[in-house]
Amino acid sequence: MFTFALPKGSLLKDSISLLKSVGLDFSAFLDPSSRQLQIADPTGSAKALLVRAQDVPVYVEYGQAQVGIVGEDVLREKLPKVACLVDLGFGKCRMSVAVSEASRFTSALELPPHCRVASKSVRCAREYFQSLDLPVEIIPLYGSVELGPITGMAEAIVDLVSTGRTLKENGLVEIEVLFESTARLIAHPLSYRLYSDEFNTLIDKVRFAIASPAIAK
Amino acid sequence: MFTFALPKGSLLKDSISLLKSVGLDFSAFLDPSSRQLQIADPTGSAKALLVRAQDVPVYVEYGQAQVGIVGEDVLREKLPKVACLVDLGFGKCRMSVAVSEASRFTSALELPPHCRVASKSVRCAREYFQSLDLPVEIIPLYGSVELGPITGMAEAIVDLVSTGRTLKENGLVEIEVLFESTARLIAHPLSYRLYSDEFNTLIDKVRFAIASPAIAK
C-alpha cells in the first residue's frame, strides 16, 4: 500500500484531481473545515499525508511516503535524494529575476556587482548568479519577497512567477527566466526498486490520465 | 521617522495593541480584507511593514526597518545582527522536545543516539542536542512538525509550544523545555546609535505601556 505525500497550496487541487482519475480519492483534504493531515483512500488501497510543499521531498526521501507530488522548483532548491518519475504538466510557473518597473536594469547582467537580491529560493538564486559570474548578495526571505525592491532592501528578486499578477500589483517587472517548473511525481528510490511492478502500474495510469484532456493542466 | 517591521501571525495583534498604547496606529494591518504590506500611521509619524516573523530581523538587520517586534525564538534561531531593546512580555511560548505519548522516552537523554528529530528550528535543535553530547539526525521541516513522530519519520520533535493543544491533539507529550520565549523589541544597531534620543523616548514609552495592566500579556 502506497503512502502519497501531497503538497498544501497551489498544487493540491490538481494533484487530487489527478489521483482521482487513477482511482484514488483524497478529496477529503480539500474540505476547508478538516484539520486532518493523514487520510486513507475510501477503498483502503492507499494513504496520503498533507504537508508543506517543501516538506514533500523530505517525507519521500525518508520513505515515510513512497510517492509524492511536488513542484520542480522545490526539487531544484532542495536537491533531495528522490526518483523523479513523471512530469505531470500542471502547476506551470517559472523562476524569474524581477526588478522594480522604475529600475534601469533590463537584464540580469546589467545588475551592479555586489547588489542585493532577495529570494526564498536561495540555492537557485545563488547558482544562477554564479553561472553569470556576477557576485551578488542573496538576502534569504520567507515570504513577500516583492517587498525587497519596494522597500529598497534589494535591487532585484528571484521568485516563482505564475500569472505575474503579484509582480504587477507591486510594480515589479520580470527581466530573466531561470527555468520553467511544473509538478512532478517523485518516489522513494529504494521503494521504487523494491516495488517496481506497482510503481510501473501507477506510472502507466498517471501517464494515461495526464494525456487525457479531462485533467486540469 | 521610524519604520517598524511587524510579524504576521500570532504576535501581530498584541504588537499593534502595544504600539497603539504608545501613540502609533497600525491597526489597518488587522483588516483581513487588506492586502497592504506597507502602511503609514495616520498621524504620519511612523511607517510599518507587515512581514513573516522570520523576516522581521532581516528587515531590521538591513536597516529597511529601524525597529521590529519578533519572538525570541526567531532571534535564537537566526542570530541576526540586531540590538535587543525590550522584553515585551507577550507571546509567551517555549521551545520544547516532544515525543509520542506511546513512546518510552521521558527525557531527552533517554533518546537513542543517532535517532531522528524533526524541527523547524534546526539551529536550536542541533545546539541543544550538542550540549547534551547526544548525536541525533535533525530533519528540517517547514510545517506540521507533529507529523514526524506520527508517521514514524522521527522519534522526537523540537517545536514551539504555546498552549500545548496541538501536541495533545496529535498524541504528543513534552519531555524537555529548551528555553522560554517572549516577543522582543529589536533595533537596527547603527540607527540605534545615531538616533539614541528618539529610541530612548520610544523605549521609555514601551516600558511604561507594558507595565500598565491594560496591555494584553
Side-chain angles (χ1 to χ4, degrees), chain A:
Chain A
M1 187 167 85
F2 283 147
T3 296
F4 289 77
L6 301 182
K8 289 182 183 180
S10 59
L11 297 181
L12 184 63
K13 220 175 132 220
D14 283 344
S15 302
I16 286 174
S17 300
L18 172 72
L19 293 178
K20 208 160 191 175
S21 70
V22 304
L24 297 168
D25 181 8
F26 298 119
S27 52
F29 281 151
L30 293 175
D31 175 1
S33 67
S34 162
R35 294 184 60 190
Q36 283 187 291
L37 300 175
Q38 193 172 206
I39 55 172
D41 169 71
T43 67
S45 58
K47 286 200 300 181
L49 306 172
L50 182 62
V51 301
R52 291 273 189 109
Q54 295 98 323
D55 291 341
V56 166
V58 179
Y59 283 89
V60 175
E61 184 172 339
Y62 282 90
Q64 250 55 42
Q66 290 76 45
V67 198
I69 295 181
V70 70
E72 197 200 347
D73 58 292
V74 175
L75 300 176
R76 287 200 181 220
E77 179 66 22
K78 303 281 165 197
L79 305 180
K81 291 180 192 115
V82 297
C84 235
L85 305 184
V86 186
D87 178 349
L88 300 174
F90 61 76
K92 268 192 188 142
C93 55
R94 50 197 185 274
M95 189 69 79
S96 296
V97 182
V99 296
S100 163
E101 277 166 8
S103 150
R104 66 180 193 278
F105 310 117
T106 57
S107 79
L109 275 172
E110 290 176 23
L111 287 168
H114 304 289
C115 74
R116 291 171 176 170
V117 178
S119 187
K120 283 184 277 193
S121 306
V122 172
R123 183 197 303 264
C124 292
R126 185 176 295 127
E127 284 183 354
Y128 176 70
F129 284 99
Q130 276 175 352
S131 77
L132 296 183
D133 215 6
L134 180 66
V136 299
E137 181 180 0
I138 309 289
I139 303 181
L141 288 180
Y142 279 75
S144 304
V145 178
E146 58 276 12
L147 260 180
I150 293 175
T151 59
M153 183 165 66
E155 274 82 6
I157 63 173
V158 169
D159 206 12
L160 272 192
V161 181
S162 144
T163 62
R165 195 181 140 209
T166 308
L167 288 186
K168 205 167 179 181
E169 283 180 350
N170 289 286
L172 300 176
V173 58
E174 242 175 308
I175 57 169
E176 301 282 352
V177 175
L178 275 63
F179 57 84
E180 310 265 346
S181 172
T182 46
R184 304 292 161 126
L185 191 74
I186 60 172
H188 179 236
L190 186 61
S191 301
Y192 185 32
R193 285 169 60 191
L194 286 173
Y195 308 107
S196 56
D197 288 350
E198 290 87 335
F199 267 99
N200 288 331
T201 309
L202 174 70
I203 292 170
D204 286 347
K205 283 187 189 170
V206 166
R207 287 218 170 107
F208 181 80
I210 58 176
S212 104
I215 302 295
K217 289 272 158 54

Side-chain angles (χ1 to χ4, degrees), chain B residues 112-202:
Chain B
H114 304 288
C115 73
R116 290 171 176 172
V117 177
S119 187
K120 283 185 275 193
S121 306
V122 172
R123 183 198 300 265
C124 292
R126 185 175 295 125
E127 285 183 355
Y128 175 69
F129 284 100
Q130 277 175 351
S131 77
L132 296 183
D133 215 5
L134 180 67
V136 300
E137 182 180 0
I138 308 289
I139 302 180
L141 289 179
Y142 279 76
S144 304
V145 178
E146 58 276 12
L147 261 180
I150 294 175
T151 58
M153 183 166 66
E155 275 81 6
I157 63 172
V158 169
D159 205 12
L160 271 192
V161 181
S162 147
T163 61
R165 196 181 139 209
T166 307
L167 289 186
K168 203 165 179 182
E169 282 180 352
N170 288 287
L172 300 177
V173 58
E174 244 175 308
I175 56 168
E176 302 282 352
V177 175
L178 277 62
F179 57 83
E180 310 265 344
S181 171
T182 46
R184 304 292 160 128
L185 190 75
I186 60 171
H188 179 236
L190 187 60
S191 300
Y192 184 32
R193 287 168 60 190
L194 286 173
Y195 308 107
S196 55
D197 288 351
E198 289 88 335
F199 267 99
N200 288 331
T201 308
L202 174 70

